[in-house]
Amino acid sequence: DGSTFPVEAHVRRLRLDGEDRFMVISWDVTEQKQAERELREERDRLQTLFENLPTPVVRCHVNEEAVAITDANPAFEETFGLTESEVEGRDLNALLVPDDRQEEAAEIDQRVLEDGLEVQEVRRIAADGLRDFQLQAAGRHPTGGPPEVYTIYTDITERKKRERRLQQAETFFQNAQDALFLFDVGSDAFTLQRVNPAYESETGLSSEELCGKTPQDIFGERAGKEVEKRYRTCVSQSEPIEYEEKLPVGGKTTYWKTRIAPVRVDGEIQQIVGTTRDITERKEREKQLRMLGTAVEQSPATILITEAESLDEPGPRVVYANPAVETMTGYQKEEIVGQSPRMLQGPDTDRATLDRIRTALENEEPVRQVLRNYRKDGTPYWNDLFIAPVLDEADKVTHLVSVQQDV
């Protein structure tokens, strides 16, 4: 049909009947040539891929002494700050592996040669210092040549940093002394995603009971709506807020100091993270103090509170006086606060009684005596006086409180 095709021919010269003859044997090598052409094209494509891959790739020959570099792509040169001419023939591990990881690198090379493939997260010396990589290494044993190892380095430094930050955050979340919680922000509801052990301890509610529930599910319709209202405020203002709240927990009313903050993911608020602390006992103490304060202010008996720093002259200084002091002594509160109660003593105040009071106070003991005092206008009166020391958390006397009545 006139078409041409490649052939391979073998020609042999022969002598027959005194004449030279030639014997030619030929066969069609079209498929062989096609295969060779495809092989060259594949080799060219691989070379192009090798040179243009954005990740570092290096080929090495392995011998007893070193993993010697034979080829390195431009991404390798850029990442590690070494040109191909600088690294050719040099030991890969000596160039890139930190001293404390040489043994690990040798073990990786051995596994590659034995198993043919290895994937590991490693740390290597890059142009800008130590960086983390995912190493993908493949080994081959060509006929008539030394073993070869092809290695791809994918930089995972930023990912590892994120992982370490996440691990640090998780460690903090699990071990924080304050109760922590995390709500997912939905289009129409807030759903609890997780709580830490401190939250479980503070509330008596387990993670299994809480996760996946809304504030209304956890605290009831009324209190839940108040909680959700604050969460929506946090989202709309896009900033942290802090507040005190009253919540039904464990069948009773409790009080909490709470701080919540929005969590942004790709610029969008997707979660609310919060910390809360049970302040129920503090609220009860504050309530009791308010009641006590009201009782003291309205008491018909005179009540004075003084510092206890010194019993020597000029005497303990008054820091509080209730209104009844004005009726009993004729002095205004403002005239007494800042002074010593000794201003009420006069010429007929009994020294022995004062000494008994002093001795008791020096021994940090309560004392009750009847003492002759004097009003602002000089009028004497008999004062039924009770004094008790006030201790701080370290059991140190800081103040003296006295209750006085005109008898």
Side-chain angles (χ1 to χ4, degrees), residues 6 28 36 60 66 126 202 216 231 240 305-306 310 320 322 362 391 404:
D28 187 346
E36 290 175 355
C60 302
E202 285 272 359
Q216 289 92 333
Y231 290 0
I305 300 176
T306 67
S310 175
Y320 171 82
N322 73 337
E362 287 178 341
L391 307 179
Q404 307 178 22

Side-chain angles (χ1 to χ4, degrees), residues 167-182 194-203 273-278:
Q167 184 60 48
Q168 291 169 354
E170 180 64 20
T171 300
F172 170 78
F173 187 86
Q174 292 296 332
N175 295 282
Q177 293 183 347
D178 285 344
L180 302 177
F181 57 88
L182 189 67
R194 60 186 308 204
V195 297
N196 72 338
Y199 190 98
E200 294 179 305
S201 177
E202 285 272 359
T203 63
V273 64
T275 176
T276 191
R277 182 175 295 175
D278 189 348

Side-chain angles (χ1 to χ4, degrees), residues 83 102-103 125 234 256 332 380 382:
T83 65
Q102 287 290 333
E103 184 175 344
I125 303 170
C234 178
W256 302 82
Q332 297 294 311
W382 289 102

Side-chain angles (χ1 to χ4, degrees), residues 13 17 31 41 52 69 79 82 91 115 139 173 181 252 262 268 274 277 333 368 394:
R13 182 177 179 180
D17 300 330
E31 292 184 0
E41 290 174 354
N52 291 279
I69 298 173
T79 299
L82 300 166
D91 181 46
D115 303 332
F173 187 86
F181 57 88
K252 59 184 180 180
E268 181 181 351
R277 182 175 295 175
K333 289 171 54 176
R368 182 173 185 175

Side-chain angles (χ1 to χ4, degrees), residues 325-326 329-333 335-336 343-344 374-376:
V325 72
E326 300 176 358
T329 69
Y331 289 99
Q332 297 294 311
K333 289 171 54 176
E335 296 178 276
I336 289 182
M343 65 186 293
L344 302 177
Y374 292 81
R375 296 185 176 90
K376 183 178 181 178

Side-chain angles (χ1 to χ4, degrees), residues 20 26 29 41 62 68 116 130 146 213 220 230 235 352 381:
D20 289 331
S26 64
V29 293
E41 290 174 354
V62 182
L130 288 175
K213 294 186 177 180
R230 292 190 175 98
V235 172
Y381 67 96

